[in-house]
Amino acid sequence: MGDPYMEPAISIELGGRLMELAERKDIARAGQDPKATERQHAKGKLTAHERIELLLDKGSFQEVEPLRRHRATGFGLEAKKPYGDGVITGWGTVEGRTVFVYAHDFRVFGGALGEAHACKIHKIMDMAIAAGAPLVSLNDGAGARIQEGVSALAGYGGIFQRNTRASGVIPQISVMLGPCAGGAAYSPALTDFIFAVRDISQMFITGPDVVRAVTGEEISQNGLGGADVHGAVSGVAHFVHDDEESCLAEVRYLLSLLPSNNRELPPRHVSGDPGDRSGDALLDLVPHDGNRSYDMRGVVEELVDDGDYVEVHAGWAPNIVCALARIDGHTVGIVANQPAAMAGVLDIKASEKAARFVQFCDSFNIPLVTLVDVPGFLPGVDQEHEGIIRRGAKLLYAYCNATVPRVSVVLRKAYGGAYIVMDSRSIGADIALAWPTNEIAVMGAEGAANVVFRREIAAADDPDAMRQEKIDQYKEELVHPYYAAERGLVDDVIDPRETRAVLARSLAMLAAKHAELPRRKHGNPPQ
């Protein structure tokens, strides 16, 4: 028998084949243009391989079809057949859990999509769906490859169809690391989350040149579709970062909070932060006076493990906070009114922002915690004319349709229809809690007194004194903290300091919750 520790003998022929393979792999990684990498770095951008290395655990990436080439002819394409065809596809791990990824390689055809390029993406998307693992796309491409005509457009159609099929099945995350124009922008729009990086990310359907030709408006690429525009104005981007490194680190953190697919629960992370920790700081964070402002994010920090959370759409519709965090090691989705912005009122943007977040959490078995401090829906002609009825109903629909564990806490104000919409007991909250500072009513006492007692106030010798008397009467009879509890619409009125502990116990009790919706193909949510 030979020595098992000796290197196996390699024939001259096999040795030559292995050298050829290594050379081809090196060419595929480096690209056929040695200066392309320098140009990419000169723009302040990483290469596709460098991005993948930052995203995935070290040494875990397994590439798929690195040697694929296109078969197109015409317009000089037959003389340019680089390996990979402008996209890198494969899988690896993030914190030991499988994640699939594809990354446009801007060094090759500007990352433009052709038939072979699209087929590689189709394959990795199909693999992700079959394996039940998240899919991350690193977008840096010039759109459809014009030289391949309709074949490129059909390639996008295949991506969109798979995005839709994967929706609610596996988490899909799009990271914008370069241009994304025309129809190409619809794939990120179909995914669960979009990350963007300042100065290098641009998304738009029609670019500045087309806008100028059609409307006469002058605008830059960043002004039209840059990261800050989509993070704060359009709401297209959920997260905005200053550089690629911090962006990809946040993608890793987000993935650590999510299950691999809709059949699993989110992974639990053991924390040194006790689930029954007292929240003494909450007594000072939230003013008793319902008219005083405060930052709800401070409350969120106090309630979640180690104060760590990732806020979704932080720059858009700031009057509502949507965040992913952990309580006692378990991932939760938090929806909270934000009194520091527009007094926490619900408007069109806030309703749509929260509705989609609720739907995402429900899709992936993430329990919902709702922190309520809402004076109502925003009044105004613009809101009514722009469809606050149908668009505000999106949040109502999302909560009513959600079957995950749901716990709501009324901190202070909860008035009118906005109280109902913010996951009240009447629309299906499993546990409804309130602080002793809560005011749950049709409207504030001041407004209610003016409506209910308008005749008495008008006829009084001292209208102001009568108004105050009626305000006090309304508060005493209908707006006191225990009115809802006495009628079973609140399960308990709790000491604010015990909120984290009660949430942890409630979510633990609900962990095995099972609820089924009526048999149907799908609902028809308001649009």
Side-chain angles (χ1 to χ4, degrees):
M1 293 181 64
D3 187 339
Y5 297 101
M6 290 181 63
E7 292 289 336
I10 299 177
S11 67
I12 294 175
E13 181 180 359
L14 178 56
R17 295 286 182 139
L18 292 176
M19 287 182 62
E20 180 187 13
L21 173 62
E23 289 173 0
R24 288 175 182 261
K25 290 287 187 73
D26 287 342
I27 292 172
R29 182 179 178 90
Q32 293 188 326
D33 182 354
K35 294 184 178 180
T37 299
E38 295 178 15
R39 290 195 294 269
Q40 184 81 345
H41 288 163
K43 296 174 184 176
K45 297 162 64 176
L46 300 174
T47 66
H49 281 289
E50 290 168 340
R51 290 164 173 165
I52 291 172
E53 289 168 359
L54 285 174
L55 173 67
L56 301 177
D57 296 338
K58 185 176 181 180
S60 69
F61 182 57
Q62 176 62 54
E63 190 169 354
V64 174
E65 295 192 353
L67 301 180
R68 183 150 188 170
R69 288 171 155 171
H70 71 76
R71 297 175 293 179
T73 58
F75 304 101
L77 285 177
E78 62 275 8
K80 297 178 181 179
K81 294 190 175 183
Y83 290 123
D85 202 49
V87 66
I88 299 166
T89 60
W91 77 87
T93 59
V94 172
E95 296 190 2
R97 299 164 65 221
T98 300
V99 173
F100 287 80
V101 61
Y102 68 86
H104 298 129
D105 189 346
F106 198 83
R107 303 172 306 165
V108 178
F109 295 131
L113 181 139
E115 183 181 21
H117 182 123
C119 286
K120 289 182 65 175
I121 295 175
H122 296 167
K123 175 181 283 190
I124 212 66
M125 295 180 79
D126 289 339
M127 291 174 69
I129 295 169
L135 175 70
V136 179
S137 63
L138 306 180
N139 297 269
D140 185 9
R145 196 174 299 168
I146 298 172
Q147 299 93 322
E148 294 196 30
V150 71
S151 296
L153 296 179
Y156 275 123
I159 294 173
F160 303 158
Q161 191 267 343
R162 288 167 174 82
N163 284 138
T164 304
R165 196 170 77 221
S167 181
V169 178
I170 57 173
Q172 298 180 84
I173 298 173
S174 298
V175 188
M176 314 312 296
L177 301 169
C180 186
Y186 284 116
S187 176
L190 290 169
T191 60
D192 298 305
F193 296 110
I194 296 176
F195 286 75
V197 178
R198 291 184 175 91
D199 299 326
I200 66 171
S201 300
Q202 297 95 30
M203 295 176 68
F204 35 71
I205 298 300
T206 55
D209 292 341
V210 176
V211 170
R212 184 185 309 111
V214 174
T215 71
E217 297 172 284
E218 293 283 348
I219 193 166
S220 66
Q221 287 195 348
N222 280 328
L224 182 62
D228 286 318
V229 168
H230 287 310
V233 180
S234 71
V236 169
H238 300 81
F239 306 97
V240 176
H241 291 272
D242 290 327
D243 54 71
E244 296 189 45
E245 291 82 2
S246 63
C247 178
L248 293 170
E250 191 78 347
V251 175
R252 285 178 58 89
Y253 178 55
L254 176 61
L255 286 167
S256 76
L257 292 164
L258 305 179
S260 292
N261 56 64
N262 65 342
R263 301 183 303 277
E264 297 181 3
L265 295 175
R268 186 182 184 195
H269 285 240
V270 178
S271 170
D273 193 354
D276 58 357
R277 167 175 53 79
S278 177
D280 295 344
L282 292 171
L283 299 180
D284 296 322
L285 282 171
V286 181
H288 294 170
D289 181 355
N291 294 319
R292 288 182 57 193
S293 177
Y294 65 95
D295 192 341
M296 182 63 82
R297 289 172 295 189
V299 176
V300 174
E301 288 180 11
E302 186 63 26
L303 295 178
V304 303
D305 292 355
D306 304 308
D308 290 334
Y309 66 94
V310 55
E311 186 175 356
V312 180
H313 269 146
W316 185 67
N319 44 321
I320 199 159
V321 173
C322 297
L324 289 164
R326 295 187 181 95
I327 293 179
D328 198 23
H330 297 281
T331 299
V332 296
I334 296 173
V335 180
N337 305 112
Q338 174 57 293
M342 300 170 60
V345 70
L346 282 178
D347 64 352
I348 287 171
K349 291 181 179 179
S351 299
E352 292 187 332
K353 169 181 169 178
R356 192 165 191 274
F357 181 75
V358 168
Q359 289 172 170
F360 172 82
C361 291
D362 188 50
S363 295
F364 291 103
N365 310 311
I366 299 172
L368 287 161
V369 173
T370 305
L371 305 177
V372 185
D373 192 347
V374 61
F377 279 95
L378 180 65
V381 174
D382 289 346
Q383 288 288 305
E384 297 294 344
H385 286 186
E386 291 177 17
I388 184 63
I389 295 173
R390 62 179 175 83
R391 296 165 77 177
K394 292 181 181 182
L395 180 55
L396 179 61
Y397 185 98
Y399 269 125
C400 290
N401 202 49
T403 60
V404 293
R406 292 155 51 188
V407 182
S408 65
V409 185
V410 178
L411 279 60
R412 297 193 310 183
K413 301 183 299 295
Y415 294 155
Y419 153 68
I420 301 172
V421 169
M422 289 297 293
D423 205 20
S424 63
R425 162 52 64 82
S426 61
I427 65 168
D430 297 295
I431 299 291
L433 306 168
W435 286 5
T437 48
N438 83 81
E439 294 182 2
I440 303 175
V442 175
M443 63 176 65
E446 292 80 3
N450 288 334
V451 173
V452 176
F453 305 109
R454 63 182 182 277
R455 292 181 180 175
E456 291 94 324
I457 293 172
D461 294 334
D462 186 346
D464 291 338
M466 178 61 72
R467 180 181 293 106
Q468 187 59 52
E469 178 184 333
K470 295 302 183 183
I471 288 172
D472 294 340
Q473 178 185 344
Y474 188 84
K475 284 183 177 180
E476 182 179 348
E477 294 183 12
L478 294 176
V479 191
H480 64 78
Y482 305 102
Y483 185 86
E486 291 169 359
R487 285 152 181 79
L489 297 175
V490 168
D491 292 298
D492 197 10
V493 179
I494 62 173
D495 185 328
R497 293 170 293 187
E498 299 176 358
T499 306
R500 173 177 162 85
V502 176
L503 286 174
R505 289 195 295 268
S506 300
L507 293 169
M509 177 273 293
L510 292 165
K513 175 186 175 183
H514 177 72
E516 291 186 357
L517 294 171
R519 183 177 178 85
R520 59 185 174 184
K521 185 175 182 180
H522 56 73
N524 186 25
Q527 297 297 320

